[in-house]
Amino acid sequence: RKGLLAFDQATYPAAGSFPSLAREVINRAINKLRLKNLVSVFGVGQLSSMTEEDIRGLFNDPRVADAVLEQMQQLLDDPNAKGRYLGFENAHFIIVDERGASELDVSLTAAHELGHALLEEQRNESLANEALRTRLEKAFEKAKAAQDAPSAYQGDLGFEEWYADQVGIWAQRLY
């Protein structure tokens, strides 16, 4: 832990290797974002090579293990899904489908998922700042109304997806 304020890098607790470029981008982003909670990153390929018992052994709380297993299965079942974010009171978990993906794609997906972690930590801080929240909402509405806006921006979680995309775009510049 860096000081008492923030973690400066992610953990990679699953067996096997995780793409080095993605590790570098994630760790640089975490260092700059100064997230208060630990971020653990898992690859679907890594997790799927482990037994359920071994995966459960990575977590102290069976509910967290259940959530990770459920999201891993969803990523295995959906060839279009690239990553998932799971947020808990004191930890962030990112699951990225690294199987067959380029290191750049894994990095961009992980950076997007980090955006969800940042939003969770900032929800009651930065977003409570009315001026900042207004600017963010205005930028989101503009992006949502664009002809080429992703469909994810149109749903109930549209702002969250847009915000995570902005963090992903920002993280690209770190490399």
Side-chain angles (χ1 to χ4, degrees), residues 11 19 23-24 49 72 86 95 97 113 118 120 127 130 147-148 159 173-174:
T11 65
R23 280 180 186 252
E24 189 171 336
S49 71
M72 177 193 76
L86 294 164
I95 307 171
D97 190 351
E113 300 306 331
L118 180 63
E120 282 305 307
L127 297 179
E130 188 175 333
Q147 190 169 3
D148 60 346
F159 177 81
R173 297 183 193 130
L174 295 175

Side-chain angles (χ1 to χ4, degrees), residues 13-18 42-55 58 69 72-73 76 98-99:
S17 64
F18 195 79
F42 301 91
V44 169
Q46 293 173 305
L47 291 172
S48 63
S49 71
M50 299 170 68
T51 66
E52 183 176 327
E53 182 180 348
D54 288 340
I55 294 171
L58 295 172
L69 286 163
M72 177 193 76
Q73 191 59 53
L76 287 168
E98 84 287 21
R99 301 167 306 146

Side-chain angles (χ1 to χ4, degrees), residues 5-7 30 33-37 39 92 114 117-118 121:
L5 298 175
F7 288 92
I30 288 172
L33 294 173
R34 302 194 48 79
L35 295 172
K36 295 177 184 112
N37 295 332
V39 176
H92 304 290
L114 268 178
L118 180 63
E121 289 195 11

Side-chain angles (χ1 to χ4, degrees), residues 111-133:
H112 169 91
E113 300 306 331
L114 268 178
H116 292 288
L118 180 63
L119 180 61
E120 282 305 307
E121 289 195 11
Q122 295 296 310
R123 194 176 300 275
N124 296 323
E125 295 172 19
S126 296
L127 297 179
N129 176 324
E130 188 175 333
L132 176 57
R133 187 181 72 247

Side-chain angles (χ1 to χ4, degrees), residues 22-174:
R23 280 180 186 252
E24 189 171 336
V25 169
I26 291 164
N27 288 337
R28 283 186 184 186
I30 288 172
N31 188 273
K32 297 281 186 189
L33 294 173
R34 302 194 48 79
L35 295 172
K36 295 177 184 112
N37 295 332
L38 177 66
V39 176
S40 294
V41 181
F42 301 91
V44 169
Q46 293 173 305
L47 291 172
S48 63
S49 71
M50 299 170 68
T51 66
E52 183 176 327
E53 182 180 348
D54 288 340
I55 294 171
R56 289 186 178 286
L58 295 172
F59 306 98
N60 295 328
D61 186 332
R63 294 170 297 179
V64 174
D66 288 343
V68 168
L69 286 163
E70 178 184 337
Q71 293 305 313
M72 177 193 76
Q73 191 59 53
Q74 286 182 15
L75 286 166
L76 287 168
D77 292 344
D78 184 350
N80 297 317
K82 296 180 178 184
R84 292 284 191 269
Y85 165 75
L86 294 164
F88 296 93
E89 186 177 328
N90 60 355
H92 304 290
F93 296 100
I94 293 173
I95 307 171
V96 178
D97 190 351
E98 84 287 21
R99 301 167 306 146
S102 71
E103 285 200 42
L104 178 61
D105 203 28
V106 172
S107 300
L108 295 175
T109 299
H112 169 91
E113 300 306 331
L114 268 178
H116 292 288
L118 180 63
L119 180 61
E120 282 305 307
E121 289 195 11
Q122 295 296 310
R123 194 176 300 275
N124 296 323
E125 295 172 19
S126 296
L127 297 179
N129 176 324
E130 188 175 333
L132 176 57
R133 187 181 72 247
T134 299
R135 285 195 310 271
L136 288 170
E137 287 172 351
K138 189 174 184 177
F140 165 64
E141 289 302 328
K142 181 178 178 182
K144 180 180 173 181
Q147 190 169 3
D148 60 346
S151 60
Y153 292 3
Q154 307 307 320
D156 291 341
L157 299 175
F159 177 81
E160 187 171 321
E161 290 301 320
W162 171 82
Y163 188 94
D165 281 350
Q166 303 318 298
V167 173
I169 291 166
W170 166 82
Q172 287 180 56
R173 297 183 193 130
L174 295 175

